[in-house]
Amino acid sequence: MKIQLPRLSDYKDTYLTEQVNFPLSTIVVPDGGQLNRLPQPNTQLTGWPWNVQVNPKIYDKNLAWPKLTIVTPSYNQEKYIEQTIRAVLLQNYPNLEYIVIDGGSTDETRSIIEKYAPWISFWEMKKDNGQGHAINKGFSLASGTYYSWINSDDYYLENTFHKVISTFMATQAEFVYGYSQNFDSQKNEITLTRTLPLIDALIRMPTLQQPSTFWSSKIHQPIWEELMCSLDYELWLRMLPGKKKKLIKAPLAVANVHQEAKTHNPEMGKNWAIDHELICCTDAHGPVTHWKMRYLLHRIWIKINKYI
């Protein structure tokens, strides 16, 4: 199947027809940060991002901090989305555009989004064609210099935006990525996933942790919406070869481990297989050539990085 990508300008035109103001408003951060201005969370939990915020003073007011656009695709994640939203807003980043695109949730997601609506640049709740469609619609409204998306059952760690944007500014990288954590609430267990430095020769090896990835708007490309599970991996195959990349050797985000998550749901196995066939067909990226050699190089690369 040939890769068929939508034109984000078409999505944007639809929003403009609906009288959506563009560019969207950025989120105003008061001198003391957002913590005391945000609504009380629906939990008694403490720590990040419940009763802790990033100190807004870490952002030097003498610097022109570039606009950062964050998109959250959402559908029926009432257990997690408040954590996702607060972990974006409590970064206290001084030039933030935050977009939430929900596919018409039937749980309590709406009430949570509405509670935080004054601090969200744009949000909508309407039936869509899946995660890729939601992400593309979100980025069609983006006006940031740098982009990222965070799913509504994941969340950023404290200070992530400062680390990432400082790295972009210091290195002129086009893609910044880091480690991630998995949190299993049933086991009350946190595990760290270290990401290898990404080299183009091994880009077919799926090693990037999507919640911990950020990139320049100049290199952004639309999501292939026919994919159900591997949409981030396929995006990297198109978007990243030849681009300047920088690894932050620290965790930047947390993925909540639960049965409904695509990565951990055994019922999604068929969808992963369908995506694999689409990506590897001759009209798309084709099969992985010299697989045994690439696999061997990947294992060697893992061992090398244990000693770096």
Side-chain angles (χ1 to χ4, degrees):
M1 179 178 181
K2 186 177 181 180
I3 301 175
Q4 297 181 2
L5 302 177
R7 293 195 309 174
L8 298 189
S9 59
D10 291 342
Y11 293 156
K12 180 179 176 181
D13 288 344
T14 299
Y15 283 121
L16 295 178
T17 301
E18 296 171 351
Q19 306 301 309
V20 173
N21 292 324
F22 183 86
L24 304 175
S25 60
T26 54
I27 298 163
V28 177
V29 179
D31 289 341
Q34 301 284 21
L35 183 60
N36 293 329
R37 292 177 176 261
L38 294 183
Q40 289 296 311
N42 298 338
T43 180
Q44 298 300 313
L45 294 174
T46 59
W48 175 260
W50 305 115
N51 65 344
V52 171
Q53 66 176 342
V54 172
N55 185 349
K57 293 182 179 179
I58 67 172
Y59 295 102
D60 187 343
K61 291 187 176 181
N62 295 316
L63 295 178
W65 293 92
K67 184 184 289 188
L68 172 63
T69 297
I70 303 294
V71 171
T72 292
S74 166
Y75 185 71
N76 283 351
Q77 294 290 354
E78 63 179 1
K79 294 180 181 178
Y80 306 104
I81 191 170
E82 186 171 30
Q83 186 178 40
T84 305
I85 293 172
R86 291 181 69 88
V88 170
L89 299 178
L90 290 173
Q91 302 284 336
N92 285 324
Y93 186 72
N95 197 1
L96 175 66
E97 181 178 69
Y98 186 32
I99 300 167
V100 179
I101 306 294
D102 185 274
S105 291
T106 57
D107 60 5
E108 291 301 312
T109 295
R110 173 181 284 276
S111 64
I112 296 170
I113 294 175
E114 287 179 341
K115 184 169 75 167
Y116 290 93
W119 295 271
I120 297 174
S121 303
F122 177 83
W123 68 276
E124 72 171 18
M125 294 193 73
K126 62 174 63 174
K127 184 175 176 58
D128 57 34
N129 297 324
Q131 183 184 14
H133 186 209
I135 294 169
N136 280 337
K137 289 200 296 181
F139 282 124
S140 77
L141 288 172
S143 61
T145 303
Y146 299 107
Y147 288 176
S148 182
W149 90 72
I150 187 79
N151 295 325
S152 54
D153 54 350
D154 300 332
Y155 67 98
Y156 295 117
L157 286 166
E158 187 177 354
N159 254 11
T160 286
F161 291 0
H162 185 266
K163 291 177 183 177
V164 167
I165 300 301
S166 296
T167 301
F168 274 120
M169 295 170 70
T171 66
Q172 303 303 307
E174 297 167 286
F175 184 77
V176 170
Y177 57 110
Y179 299 166
S180 70
Q181 294 176 347
N182 289 329
F183 175 63
D184 189 327
S185 58
Q186 289 189 337
K187 298 179 180 178
N188 194 29
E189 181 179 88
I190 296 176
T191 56
L192 175 67
T193 300
R194 291 183 173 87
T195 306
L196 291 173
L198 183 64
I199 55 177
D200 288 356
L202 297 176
I203 201 168
R204 293 296 290 262
M205 302 294 178
T207 58
L208 289 172
Q209 309 301 310
Q210 180 275 316
S212 297
T213 58
F214 298 76
W215 56 95
S216 168
S217 60
K218 293 180 180 179
I219 70 169
H220 181 70
Q221 296 185 26
I223 298 293
W224 186 7
E225 293 181 5
E226 280 72 22
L227 300 177
M228 292 173 281
C229 299
S230 301
L231 42 86
D232 53 328
Y233 168 70
E234 191 280 327
L235 177 64
W236 312 145
L237 298 183
R238 278 186 286 115
M239 191 174 75
L240 295 185
K243 304 301 188 297
K244 185 176 181 180
K245 314 168 190 69
K246 182 65 177 178
L247 170 64
I248 296 176
K249 295 183 177 181
L252 302 178
V254 177
N256 282 297
V257 177
H258 58 95
Q259 250 342 78
E260 291 78 26
K262 293 178 182 179
T263 308
H264 306 285
N265 186 347
E267 296 181 4
M268 296 298 290
K270 181 180 178 181
N271 292 335
W272 285 102
I274 292 172
D275 281 3
H276 177 74
E277 291 179 5
L278 290 174
I279 291 170
C280 292
C281 73
T282 54
D283 288 334
H285 297 280
V288 182
T289 57
H290 308 295
W291 167 253
K292 291 184 178 180
M293 178 60 70
R294 287 175 187 257
Y295 181 77
L296 176 60
L297 290 174
H298 180 63
R299 301 304 302 173
I300 293 172
W301 188 233
I302 291 173
K303 291 183 178 181
I304 290 173
N305 280 275
K306 284 184 177 180
Y307 300 100
I308 294 178

